[in-house]
C-alpha cells in the first residue's frame, strides 16, 4: 500500500465527486463531462448495481479519469473493483476485514472515520489519509481544526454535507487535501443528459483552492 500515491490522488483536484450510477449508459458521458471540467478523480459508488460495470466502462473509455470505488463495505469488493479498473477505494468506516482486504488486494484505501479514536485506530492500521465522514454531522471545519493539534500527521478528505459554497472553508484547513461531495452530479442533470451543466459545475469545483 503506497500512502504517497493516495495523497497524490487526493491532491489532483480539490473535489472528488461522489457518484451513483442509475443507468449504465450515463457512466461514460458523465465521466467525460467531469474530466472536461478539470475533475479527473471520480468516486463511483457501489450503491447501485451499475457501480462495478460503470467502473469498467470508464476505465476502458475515459483514460484521463482516475477511478475510485466508493461505499466499499465488503472485503470481496476490493479485488473486483481493482480488476474493473479502480485505483483506490473509499469506505464509510474501517473494520478489520477491510484492513485485511486492502492489504491483500493492494487497492489503496481511503477509510472513513468520525472520531479521534477512529483516527487513531486507522493510523495504527497504517492509514494516514482518511475520509472524515459524515463531515458536517461530525463537526465540520471545527472538528478538523480541533483534531489537527493532537493528531497532526493525518490528512483528510471530508465528505458529507459539503457544497460548492462551503467547500472553500474545508479546503482552507491545513489537514484537508480535498473534499468529497455529490453536488457535481445532480440527479436531474444526469437524467436529462445535461453534460454541459455538469462540466460547468466541475469547472467551478476545479477553481476552488486547497490550503496544502
Ligand atoms: C454521500 O454519502 O453520498 C456522500 O458522503 C456525499 O454526501 P453529500 O451528498 O452530502 O455530498
Amino acid at each position: 500500500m503506497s500512502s504517497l500515491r493516495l495523497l497524490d490522488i487526493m491532491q489532483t483536484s480539490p473535489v472528488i465527486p461522489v457518484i451513483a450510477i442509475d443507468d449504465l449508459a450515463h457512466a461514460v458521458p458523465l465521466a467525460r463531462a467531469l474530466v472536461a471540467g478539470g475533475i479527473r478523480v471520480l468516486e463511483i459508488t457501489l450503491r447501485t448495481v451499475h457501480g462495478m460495470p460503470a467502473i469498467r466502462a470508464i476505465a476502458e473509455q475515459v483514460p484521463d479519469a482516475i477511478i475510485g470505488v466508493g461505499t466499499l463495505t465488503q472485503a470481496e469488493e476490493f479485488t473486483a473493483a481493482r480488476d474493473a479498473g479502480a485505483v483506490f477505494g473509499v469506505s464509510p468506516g474501517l473494520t478489520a476485514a477491510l484492513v485485511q482486504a486492502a492489504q491483500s488486494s493492494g487497492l489503496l484505501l481511503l477509510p472513513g472515520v468520525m472520531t479521534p479514536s477512529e483516527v487513531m485506530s486507522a493510523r495504527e492500521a497504517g492509514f494516514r489519509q482518511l475520509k472524515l465522514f459524515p463531515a458536517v454531522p461530525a463537526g465540520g471545519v471545527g472538528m478538523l481544526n480541533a483534531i489537527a493539534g493532537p493528531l497532526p500527521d493525518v490528512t483528510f478528505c471530508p465528505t458529507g454535507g459539503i457544497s460548492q459554497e462551503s467547500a472553500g472553508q474545508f479546503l482552507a484547513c491545513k489537514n484537508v487535501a480535498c473534499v468529497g461531495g455529490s453536488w457535481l452530479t445532480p440527479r436531474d442533470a444526469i437524467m436529462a443528459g445535461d453534460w454541459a451543466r455538469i462540466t460547468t459545475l466541475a469547472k467551478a469545483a476545479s477553481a476552488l483552492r486547497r490550503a496544502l
Side-chain angles (χ1 to χ4, degrees):
M1 203 173 349
S2 164
S3 60
L4 179 60
R5 277 194 51 212
L6 186 54
L7 189 57
D8 289 342
I9 291 168
M10 292 167 73
Q11 292 177 339
T12 300
S13 309
V15 183
I16 299 178
V18 179
I19 301 167
I21 298 289
D22 292 313
D23 180 340
L24 185 55
H26 293 152
V28 166
L30 176 61
R32 285 185 176 139
L34 290 164
V35 170
I39 296 293
R40 296 179 55 215
V41 180
L42 316 178
E43 179 187 335
I44 309 294
T45 65
L46 298 181
R47 295 178 199 184
T48 72
V49 295
H50 304 299
M52 207 66 87
I55 290 169
R56 190 171 293 106
I58 294 167
E60 287 172 358
Q61 298 179 56
V62 191
D64 287 339
I66 300 168
I67 306 169
V69 55
T71 324
L72 276 177
T73 59
Q74 309 291 327
E76 59 271 21
E77 294 166 343
F78 281 65
T79 50
R82 181 201 63 197
D83 294 347
V87 297
F88 71 103
V90 186
S91 58
L94 188 60
T95 66
L98 296 193
V99 172
Q100 174 61 37
Q103 288 169 347
S104 60
S105 69
L107 188 70
L108 296 163
L109 179 63
L110 181 67
V113 296
M114 194 181 171
T115 67
S117 290
E118 291 173 4
V119 173
M120 293 164 71
S121 294
R123 207 169 52 164
E124 285 176 11
F127 297 93
R128 292 287 186 279
Q129 288 79 42
L130 306 172
K131 166 182 173 174
L132 179 68
F133 178 79
V136 170
V141 167
M143 169 72 162
L144 288 158
N145 288 333
I147 226 169
L151 301 167
D153 57 345
V154 290
T155 305
F156 292 96
C157 172
T159 304
I162 301 176
S163 64
Q164 174 72 26
E165 291 68 35
S166 66
Q169 299 161 36
F170 285 87
L171 292 164
C173 297
K174 63 184 177 187
N175 53 356
V176 169
C178 62
V179 303
S182 62
W183 81 88
L184 301 191
T185 54
R187 188 174 295 256
D188 61 335
I190 296 174
M191 298 313 281
D194 190 351
W195 310 125
R197 180 176 161 207
I198 288 175
T199 297
T200 299
L201 290 166
K203 282 182 178 170
S206 298
L208 292 163
R209 289 284 171 264
R210 58 180 169 264
L212 292 177

